[in-house]
Structures are given as structure tokens and as C-alpha cells.
Amino acid sequence: MYPSIEKLQKYVRLEAKNGYDNKAIIGGLASMLETWESEARNDGVAEEVIQAVTGRLRDYERLSPESRKVTLFGIGNRLKREYPELGSEKELPKADAPPTQAEDKPSEQTQDEAAPAKITESAPQQENVEKSTPTHRPARPRSESVPGASTSKTPIALNAKLTVLQGVGPRNATTLEKLGLFTLRDMLYNFPRRYDDYSQLKPIKSLWYGEQVTVIGNVQSVTGRPIRGGKSHITEAVIGDGTGALRLSWFNQPWLTNRFKKGMSISVSGKVDQYLGRLVMSSPDWEMIETENLHTNRIVPIYALTAKITQKWLRKQMMQVISYWAPKITDHLPDSVRLTAKLPRLDTALENVHFPKTQAHLKLARERLAFDEIFFLQMGVLRQKRDWQSVMGRIFDVPEEWLQARKDILPFTLTASQDKAVSDIVMDFGSGRPMNRLLQGDVGSGKTVVAAMATEVIAHAGAQTAIMAPTSILAEQHYRGLSQMLTAGEDALKEDEIRLLVGDTPEARKQEIREGLLDGSIKVIVGTHALIEGNVTFADLQLAIVDEQHRFGVDQRAALREKGENLHLLVMTATPIPRSLALTVHGDLDISVMDEMPAGRQEIDTHVLRPRERERAYTMIRAQVLDGKQAFIIYPLVEESEKIEARAAVEEHESLQAEVFRKLNVGLLHGRMKAAEKEEAMEKFRAKEYDILVATTVVEVGVDIPNATVMLIEGADRFGLAQLHQLRGRVGRGLDKSYCLLIPTDNNDTENERLLAMAESNDGFVLAEKDLQQRGPGEFLGTRQSGYSTGLRMASITDIDLIEKARERAQSIFVQDANLEKEEHKLLGEALDNFWGNTKGDIS
Ligand code: ADP
Ligand code: MG
């Protein structure tokens, strides 16, 4: 029994009968909240419900009768859902016209006979059209509005355009579109950028001299007057907050005197000072406050804005949408999943993520929404994997002796990890299913040769392979290495059966290559994004390899895959990610991990130097060059820019050659050079014509010059650890002791501390974890994330516990009902489709 709920229902009915004049209860509806709250708690009413009721009613007095009606309807609806057994809803108020503007004709909302169960809430505008008597219809249970709708599903009206909102016309709607807000659903998921927490404010009475604070108060007086014989002007104001008064002053902003009005609420931030024994604040930052925020929402959401709309206006629209629509949302997560994961319901989470009552509510809400994202991501990758495995892939059998013969030609013995990766691939080739494999191995672990062996298998069978790398330098290097390897030995390819295609390849040669790929005479093509251009077509592409796959967008990898039919795919990366994360982010792929370095590798000696110790670095470089070795010097930018005082490669190259290394040959390589020039610079460095290569990060990925033993990185503070690790990986690729020297832009101790992690570890995995902590997932996953960047707005991939939880739940549902066809999973299926939108094809 819930006497408190029945009581509430009674009040609500009374209020409806009185036409929402807030007189049903003496002192207004809100006045009974405190008593009611404790009664409800005594009755054992769910905390969520209590909060939903009190949160809505606290502000009741200030609402228009129309909004009051909507609010009470929302509460009635909520109670009905939570306590159907109380069943007196027939007398609850019926919001026959939710805040709408009935501008748009109902479009997709026509009743679909075939799927009546999908619609329980008809779109508001549809109701207006259908309705014959616009006012006071007899109240009836909401669910009867669509025949046959017994189970409540997410209202289809969430797809309605924003013009249905009061106060949003076509012009505002267009503005909102700039923020990616097209439908009511978009609004629900338009999470605040941050929150202003007014509950954490300090009262004036407890301010301390010298303290840096934000306080809020009402303006009690304002004066402006000239001082210093008219040379300056001072505006003085006093604000009070009931606990005390604070004197504020601003100099030479005479207009302020008229901006402040007595009684106005403002927030001021600054340092508390003392003047003649009183607390004062001099030239504080200040902002006008919307009073209602202070009283009602102590934690106020701040949304992303665009020109022509204000925070206040948008917040009002958000409030309108959330308070009316959030309670109508039926949770797509089955209770079993939600309860096991200890998460709040979706409606509660949506309400609390926008208008949280406390930080604790907010935290729970965020957790719930993040859970959904990971859950959907995982469901998506599991499906993707199943789909890929459901088609046939061509079988390539690999005779043991043949494979061994090819290995024997290599100048080194494969590591056990490499051997394992090769046999994983050979197994995939023989499985009759397309391979979808991720080859993960730290920088320098020798991934290229594994890819080359896979290529040989396919070429041997007469089919085609495409290898895509993120830079022309790397493509060129792979082309060179592969040509050498594949044209050697008994079962060799001819030289012109392997070609290179990059953006800068001359048009005539491009044309010739395209023809060769189309007629099948080219067996192996190595290149950059140029490979996925529309006019590149293959006769029989059976293997696609993507090197440094995190450098490519999802769509680019998908485009390469599209060049063949059910082809075998191998993607390679040096980005090490924790296993639980890998299973979520790369859950659609099989993974081969190479956790071993080729024999004889030594740790790279890494030092962080202060800028004034630069000469020491130069000395070391000279010594290494004298020893026949080579060095890289990396600069973060190509040209000097006003804003960033990074030392530019071009200028530095000149002065290094002219002043520091006069007797040595210093080469230059940067991103703005033409592909042919880059190629030439690399070639000269490889041929030891250059002792030192001054470069930008164009050499970051993949570049392999085993004779280079020193990597000097200027402006090291501008790089993430993972990137530094990649750069450092350009040395130490041979048997010789190698060195990495990091010089930050200035003597910033915290920066240096961060960089020290590099000196402490040579393990990409450890550094990646550190990087994740320091810089967050966006940087870490790079463009790879783009495939679902809209999807992961709440979840942070650093939250391994949450990921694990969501992954387990998704896995278990997938096992039971992969297509989400069971009745209890229907909503989940819809939500999943929504999450993934129209993206078809690759996920990872
Ligand atoms: P990454 O995994 O970073 O792409 P690479 O494939 O470029 O690494 O290999 C790094 C270097 O190690 C290359 O110079 C390559 O020739 C060499 N290498 C690869 N495998 C072995 C091995 N088993 N033994 C010795 N050197 C190897
Ligand atoms: Mg590589």
C-alpha cells in the first residue's frame, strides 16, 4: 500500500479539476512537498519516483497553467507506470495538448497498421489534427489512444521535428540543426557540455581574506564616479546574500554603473581583499544569473551553443523536452540487464543528466548512458563479426614446404610471435571464411614481414593484394621492401607485377596502373589513400592489408574492403590497448598479438634534456655519426608560427647545417614537400648520403632505417606519449645501442615529469596507458574513433570496469538472441539500429 501515492493522486486530480490554478492546496502544491517526501519515503516509494515528483513540483507555482497541466500529466504518467495496481489513472489529468505548435503536418507518424505495437504515444501534432473537439476531452487512459497497444514502446513522436516545440519556429529549428539537433530524440541526447554547480557556492559570511572564490548575491547598491581628478572612473557595487555583504569595485568601466540594477542577481569571481576592515573584491569577473536556476536547479546544465541562440533560451527548450518526453521513454534495456548492472532507468538517467538534483544523481545518470553506448558498441561488433563470418571466403591452401622455403629466403629467423601470426593467417586463408584479423605489435616488433608473407601466399595463387599505408613515405618503403622480397627466390614475381600508387604518382602512370589492376596483370599494389579512389578497380582482389590502421578512418578501411568481394582483411597497428577494451573496440576482429621483439634488440636509452643542455645532444649526435651511425632530429611544425613558438624544421635545418653540423650532411624532410622530394630525401638518408635527417612527424609511423641510432625530439612537450613512443621507434631497429633525447620547449617541470615516463619505459603498452590517463581517449584512438564518435559521447574508454560490465551483458544477450527478436528485446533492437544509424560495413 502506498497512501502517499494515493494522496498525491488526489491532489493532482483536485488541481486538474480547478483548472491548474495552484489553489487545490493551501499555499500551493509545492508547499506539501516536504511532508509528502518523508511520507513517501516511509511508505517505501522508490527514491527515483520521489525525486521525480518533488523535482517537478518544486517549481510548480512559477509555471503557466499550460505547463502545469503538462507537468502533472508527466507525474500521473509516471505513477501509472510505477504503480499500475493503484489504477485510478482514469481520473488523472490528461494533457490533451502538450506544448506544441502544430506547424508541421504529421508525416511519418501515420498509423502503421502492420506494426501497431510500435505506437503508443501518437505524435503531439497528430493528436491536434485528429482531435475533433479541441478542449476538454473526457479523460481516458493514455494507452487507449492506439488500439492494440498493450506494451508501451518508445514514442515514435521522438522523431518529430523541433518545430513542434513551443517557441521553436522554422528559423530556430534551422539554427538548432547547426548543433546537430533535428528531432526531439536529438534533444534528449544533447548532453550538457558542463554544469554550473550553485550548490557548491560559498556564503559571503564565510569568505576569507585572500581567497579566490565565486559568490552569488543580489545587488544592493550601485554608484559610479570619477576619481583622480577625472582621469579615472570607479564603479562600486554592494551585493548581499542574506549572510553578509560584499563590496565590489571596477575601474574605468563607466558603463557598468548602468548595467547593474538594484535587486539583480549576479555571480562574481575573484580574489577576496580587505579594505578598512571590510571584505571587498576588486575588478571581479561577473555574470548575470537567472534567478530561477538558483532556487530550483542548483546544478545548472550548460549546453553547447551556436550563433543566434542563448544559453537561457536553449536551456528552456531542453527543459521543455526533458520534462515532457523523458518520462515517456520506455527503457530499451530489459530490467534483468539493468538491475544486474545496477543502473538507473533510462528516463531517470535522461532527466538527471540534464537537470541533476545532486552530483550523485548526475554520476549515476552518466554511468547509465555510458553503459548504453558501450553496450551498443559491443552488440554492433558482435553482429558485424557474425555477418562477416556468414559469407564464403576463397580458400588458399598453403603447403608447409613452400611456406618454409619462403621463410628460408628471409635475412633473419622469424620470432615465435611472428611465426604464430603467420600461422594464424594461414589458418584463416584455409577456413573458407574471409579473414578479419588485427595484427597488434609494438613498434619494431616486425609486423611488415608478416604482412609480406601473407601477400606472397595470395600472389602465389595468382590473385591480387592491396596494401594501404597512411603516408607516401611509408608506402614507398613497403613497396621497396616487398619488391625485394617477392622478386627473390624460385617462386618469384616479376618486377612490374608489384606497383606503387600514391597521390603524387604521375597521371599517365596512374592510368597504366589502373589498367594493370583491372586486367589482373598487377598482383600486388602498395599505396596510400590513392588506392581507394573510385576509379581504381581490381580483377581479383583477395587480400587487403591496412598498415597503421589507427591512422585511417573507418570509412577508408571500408572503402578498401569494398574493392573486392568477401576478401581477406589484415589490419596492423602498434597501438596497444588493454584487452577488455580491444574486445569492445575491435570485437569484430580476430586478434594476433606480437609481444616479442626480434632477437638482439636493446632498450633505447631515453633522456629528457633541458633546452640549455641542447649542446650535449649535439655532441652525442656527432659521436654517433663519427661511428658511422645516423640521427633524426624532429621538429613539431613545418613553419614558424606566431602562436606556437615551436622551432620550425625548415629554419632549423638551415642553421643546423650552417652552424652546428658544418662538416656533416644534414637532410630535410617535411610534409609540405612533394612525394618525389620526400622520396629523394629518404633515399639519400637510407643510402647514408645524409648523416642527419631533420624532419617533422612525417617520419612518425613505420619508417625503417636500421642504421639510425639517435632520435632527438625538439618541442617534445607537444607530443603525446604514444606518439613519442612511435617516433622513438624509428631508432633501435638494428643491433646497435640507440638513444632518444627529448627536449621540451621550456623548463616546465610538470612537462618534464610527464616526459620522464618515456625514460622509464620502453613498453608501448605502459606508455599508452599513461597517455590514456593524461590525454583521454580521443587523442589515443585517433581517427579510428570516427566511426562511432557520435555514438560515444558519454562513455570514456578509460573506464575499464564499465566497459567490462557492458561487454559481458551484451555478450550474454547476443548468445540468447543475436537478432534481438524476442519480445523483451524488441525495443533494444530499435535502439541499437538508432545508435548505429545507417552505418553499414566496418566498425573497427
Ligand atoms: P613494425 O612492427 O614497427 O612495423 P617492422 O616490420 O618495420 O616493424 O620491423 C622493424 C625492423 O625489424 C625492420 O628493420 C625489420 O627488417 C626487422 N625485423 C623484423 N623481423 C625481424 C626478425 N625476426 N629478426 C630480426 N629483425 C627483424
Ligand atoms: Mg610498421
Side-chain angles (χ1 to χ4, degrees):
M1 274 314 278
Y2 298 103
S4 57
I5 295 287
E6 282 175 356
K7 191 163 156 192
L8 180 65
Q9 285 177 328
K10 201 176 84 199
Y11 290 156
V12 166
R13 281 196 298 273
L14 257 173
E15 181 65 15
K17 220 167 104 193
N18 289 356
Y20 309 97
D21 60 1
N22 199 21
K23 293 208 174 112
I25 293 176
I26 299 166
L29 253 190
S31 69
M32 62 86 184
L33 278 181
E34 209 168 308
T35 336
W36 182 82
E37 199 173 332
S38 56
E39 282 172 11
R41 242 176 233 129
N42 280 339
D43 286 352
V45 173
E47 191 59 32
E48 280 174 20
V49 177
I50 298 179
Q51 293 299 336
V53 170
T54 53
R56 283 197 185 78
L57 290 187
R58 198 168 288 144
D59 213 14
Y60 190 75
E61 184 189 14
R62 231 173 280 129
L63 302 178
S64 67
E66 184 59 27
S67 310
R68 287 177 182 169
K69 193 194 291 185
V70 171
T71 302
L72 291 191
F73 175 70
I75 290 176
N77 209 34
R78 179 74 185 255
L79 295 179
K80 190 175 80 189
R81 246 187 303 121
E82 300 276 347
Y83 306 100
E85 70 275 18
L86 291 178
S88 42
E89 75 269 16
K90 62 178 186 298
E91 290 174 72
L92 283 178
K94 171 85 178 77
D96 45 10
T100 65
Q101 204 175 279
E103 270 183 12
D104 287 3
K105 284 241 158 233
S107 48
E108 67 272 39
Q109 280 100 359
T110 47
Q111 291 190 11
D112 181 357
E113 300 275 24
K118 284 195 176 168
I119 311 165
T120 47
E121 295 289 349
S122 41
Q125 66 271 43
Q126 185 187 355
E127 268 191 342
N128 285 344
V129 174
E130 271 182 1
K131 210 159 48 175
S132 46
T133 41
T135 50
H136 301 305
R137 287 191 298 174
R140 58 189 163 115
R142 189 79 175 164
S143 58
E144 279 173 29
S145 59
V146 174
S150 53
T151 48
S152 164
K153 294 278 151 84
T154 297
I156 199 164
L158 286 183
N159 296 325
K161 295 219 195 93
L162 296 180
T163 41
V164 303
L165 296 171
Q166 210 164 41
V168 179
R171 192 177 307 174
N172 282 332
T174 314
T175 310
L176 289 170
E177 283 174 11
K178 295 211 182 80
L179 293 168
L181 304 174
F182 294 85
T183 63
L184 295 178
R185 175 179 287 101
D186 294 338
M187 292 284 270
L188 285 176
Y189 282 87
N190 177 36
F191 302 138
R193 218 158 31 83
R194 62 181 178 86
Y195 304 82
D196 275 347
D197 189 349
Y198 292 131
S199 59
Q200 303 292 324
L201 288 171
K202 260 192 127 167
I204 291 177
K205 121 178 150 227
S206 45
L207 293 184
W208 289 93
Y209 164 68
E211 201 176 20
Q212 179 78 37
V213 286
T214 300
V215 280
I216 284 187
N218 291 321
V219 176
Q220 294 177 342
S221 67
V222 202
T223 53
R225 62 191 154 87
I227 52 172
R228 299 213 295 137
K231 286 203 203 111
S232 296
H233 181 277
I234 185 169
T235 307
E236 285 181 309
V238 175
I239 58 167
D241 68 351
T243 73
L246 181 66
R247 185 173 294 270
L248 315 168
S249 56
W250 290 267
F251 292 94
N252 295 328
Q253 300 182 47
W255 59 89
L256 279 182
T257 315
N258 291 325
R259 286 293 299 279
F260 296 126
K261 300 269 179 290
K262 230 174 149 173
M264 188 169 115
S265 287
I266 60 171
S267 86
V268 294
S269 317
K271 199 170 153 210
V272 181
D273 242 321
Q274 219 166 7
Y275 183 68
L276 299 179
R278 273 186 306 206
L279 294 184
V280 298
M281 227 185 234
S282 182
S283 300
D285 282 339
W286 69 277
E287 210 173 302
M288 222 150 78
I289 311 247
E290 298 141 33
T291 333
E292 66 263 36
N293 287 337
L294 276 180
H295 302 307
T296 56
N297 308 301
R298 309 285 294 187
I299 305 176
V300 178
I302 308 292
Y303 295 97
L305 292 179
T306 179
K308 293 193 205 134
I309 57 174
T310 64
Q311 192 61 247
K312 191 173 176 177
W313 182 84
L314 182 56
R315 193 181 298 136
K316 198 172 135 214
Q317 302 309 323
M318 291 302 301
M319 178 58 113
Q320 199 189 148
V321 173
I322 306 304
S323 59
Y324 185 77
W325 289 103
K328 292 193 174 44
I329 287 202
T330 311
D331 204 330
H332 47 243
L333 273 191
D335 276 350
S336 57
V337 174
R338 186 174 65 79
L339 295 172
T340 330
K342 298 203 182 68
L343 294 165
R345 291 183 358 179
L346 183 58
D347 50 1
T348 316
L350 284 171
E351 285 167 28
N352 282 328
V353 82
H354 289 282
F355 300 99
K357 272 140 229 125
T358 63
Q359 291 288 352
H361 281 93
L362 175 59
K363 182 163 175 281
L364 266 178
R366 296 182 65 109
E367 216 173 287
R368 161 61 208 257
L369 295 166
F371 178 93
D372 279 14
E373 290 174 0
I374 301 287
F375 184 89
F376 288 144
L377 180 61
Q378 183 66 18
M379 286 301 281
V381 295
L382 288 171
R383 264 191 193 181
Q384 178 85 82
K385 183 163 191 174
R386 182 201 54 190
D387 289 351
W388 280 342
Q389 285 181 340
S390 67
V391 295
M392 303 290 283
R394 186 174 318 162
I395 294 181
F396 294 92
D397 279 321
V398 186
E400 191 58 42
E401 318 78 67
W402 179 84
L403 189 63
Q404 193 52 53
R406 297 309 299 175
K407 287 182 187 172
D408 289 343
I409 299 175
L410 297 173
F412 43 71
T413 326
L414 293 185
T415 63
S417 285
Q418 285 170 323
D419 255 330
K420 174 69 169 61
V422 171
S423 43
D424 286 347
I425 292 169
V426 165
M427 213 166 66
D428 290 342
F429 282 162
S431 72
R433 307 265 164 247
M435 167 168 78
N436 284 292
R437 187 166 291 280
L438 170 73
L439 181 57
Q440 184 192 304
D442 205 350
V443 182
S445 60
K447 295 181 288 293
T448 319
V449 67
V450 174
M453 307 245 19
T455 307
E456 286 195 306
V457 172
I458 304 300
H460 177 61
Q464 292 173 304
T465 299
I467 301 167
M468 184 161 74
T471 64
S472 64
I473 296 175
L474 191 50
E476 156 81 23
Q477 178 183 296
H478 282 334
Y479 166 70
R480 195 185 292 269
L482 276 165
S483 293
Q484 214 171 36
M485 208 173 128
L486 301 189
T487 55
E490 285 192 359
D491 190 44
L493 288 183
K494 291 197 278 303
E495 224 161 80
D496 58 1
E497 287 178 317
I498 309 173
R499 301 297 295 266
L500 174 71
L501 181 66
V502 298
D504 277 4
T505 304
E507 190 46 44
R509 200 179 318 154
K510 271 188 182 162
Q511 182 55 32
E512 180 205 320
I513 290 174
R514 284 197 288 263
E515 281 162 19
L517 289 172
L518 187 57
D519 67 22
S521 58
I522 297 178
K523 302 297 180 207
V524 179
I525 183 78
V526 185
T528 54
H529 310 82
L531 291 181
I532 51 178
E533 276 169 22
N535 52 10
V536 178
T537 26
F538 292 81
D540 186 21
L541 183 62
Q542 288 296 327
L543 173 62
I545 299 177
V546 181
D547 192 17
E548 308 288 353
Q549 70 106 21
H550 57 283
R551 289 301 203 91
F552 290 98
V554 171
D555 40 345
Q556 291 171 318
R557 292 191 297 269
L560 186 62
R561 184 196 283 275
E562 291 298 305
K563 299 279 181 187
E565 206 173 312
N566 301 342
L567 49 67
H568 296 285
L569 177 74
L570 178 67
V571 299
M572 309 200 286
T573 185
T575 307
I577 50 178
R579 187 174 161 74
S580 60
L581 187 56
L583 287 172
T584 304
V585 180
H586 301 301
D588 46 342
L589 302 170
D590 297 308
I591 303 181
S592 296
V593 179
M594 304 212 305
D595 50 10
E596 182 184 6
M597 286 289 165
R601 288 282 167 79
Q602 305 178 45
E603 296 235 314
I604 300 162
D605 240 343
T606 303
H607 302 276
V608 182
L609 301 181
R610 294 185 174 259
R612 63 182 134 80
E613 296 174 304
R614 188 171 279 112
E615 195 49 47
R616 279 178 59 196
Y618 294 156
T619 308
M620 161 166 271
I621 291 176
R622 280 191 206 101
Q624 288 287 310
V625 170
L626 206 64
D627 207 22
K629 304 299 188 306
Q630 293 164 282
F632 289 100
I633 301 181
I634 307 294
Y635 289 94
L637 284 176
V638 179
E639 270 159 9
E640 199 91 52
S641 110
E642 274 177 10
K643 285 187 199 140
I644 311 158
E645 71 299 273
R647 313 185 68 176
V650 181
E651 286 177 15
E652 285 304 323
H653 169 251
E654 274 175 27
S655 72
L656 284 173
Q657 177 71 84
E659 292 155 31
V660 184
F661 301 115
R662 249 172 304 168
K663 297 193 188 124
L664 307 182
N665 293 316
V666 185
L668 173 67
L669 181 69
H670 63 73
R672 305 234 178 117
M673 288 163 51
K674 292 208 178 72
E677 293 168 350
K678 286 186 207 163
E679 215 170 283
E680 194 191 326
M682 279 311 290
E683 187 40 41
K684 285 187 168 167
F685 192 50
R686 204 183 301 276
K688 299 192 198 172
E689 282 180 42
Y690 292 143
D691 305 302
I692 299 168
L693 189 65
V694 170
T696 56
T697 51
V698 286
V699 301
E700 177 188 341
V701 290
V703 166
D704 186 38
I705 311 275
N707 192 51
T709 55
V710 187
M711 167 61 66
L712 167 59
I713 304 174
E714 291 277 0
D717 51 312
R718 298 181 190 284
F719 299 103
L721 297 180
Q723 205 182 357
L724 287 172
H725 181 64
Q726 275 277 353
L727 280 168
R728 174 170 64 180
R730 297 314 111 216
V731 297
R733 301 172 81 83
L735 297 176
D736 303 303
K737 183 79 197 158
S738 296
Y739 306 88
C740 175
L741 309 171
L742 304 171
I743 306 187
T745 319
D746 47 38
N747 289 322
N748 179 329
D749 285 334
T750 33
E751 254 323 313
N752 291 354
E753 196 147 319
R754 186 177 74 91
L755 293 177
L756 280 178
M758 291 293 297
E760 280 157 18
S761 179
N762 261 277
D763 186 337
F765 192 91
V766 173
L767 293 170
E769 297 244 293
K770 282 228 162 84
D771 221 18
L772 257 175
Q773 291 160 7
Q774 290 172 357
R775 317 215 309 168
E779 301 266 357
F780 178 67
L781 281 187
T783 46
R784 216 206 134 272
Q785 219 193 355
S786 60
Y788 46 81
S789 57
T790 49
L792 289 192
R793 287 183 294 186
M794 198 52 90
S796 149
I797 61 162
T798 49
D799 190 348
I800 303 292
D801 285 346
L802 183 77
I803 289 173
E804 197 66 52
K805 196 154 85 171
R807 198 175 62 78
E808 272 168 21
R809 294 294 107 218
Q811 198 96 28
S812 91
I813 290 212
F814 192 80
V815 171
Q816 297 163 33
D817 182 18
N819 290 327
L820 302 177
E821 283 159 348
K822 288 189 186 161
E823 188 55 34
E824 67 266 33
H825 296 154
K826 283 246 163 73
L827 257 183
L828 191 58
E830 285 168 29
L832 182 65
D833 291 345
N834 244 327
F835 178 82
W836 284 104
N838 306 324
T839 41
K840 208 43 209 128
D842 289 42
I843 289 170
S844 57

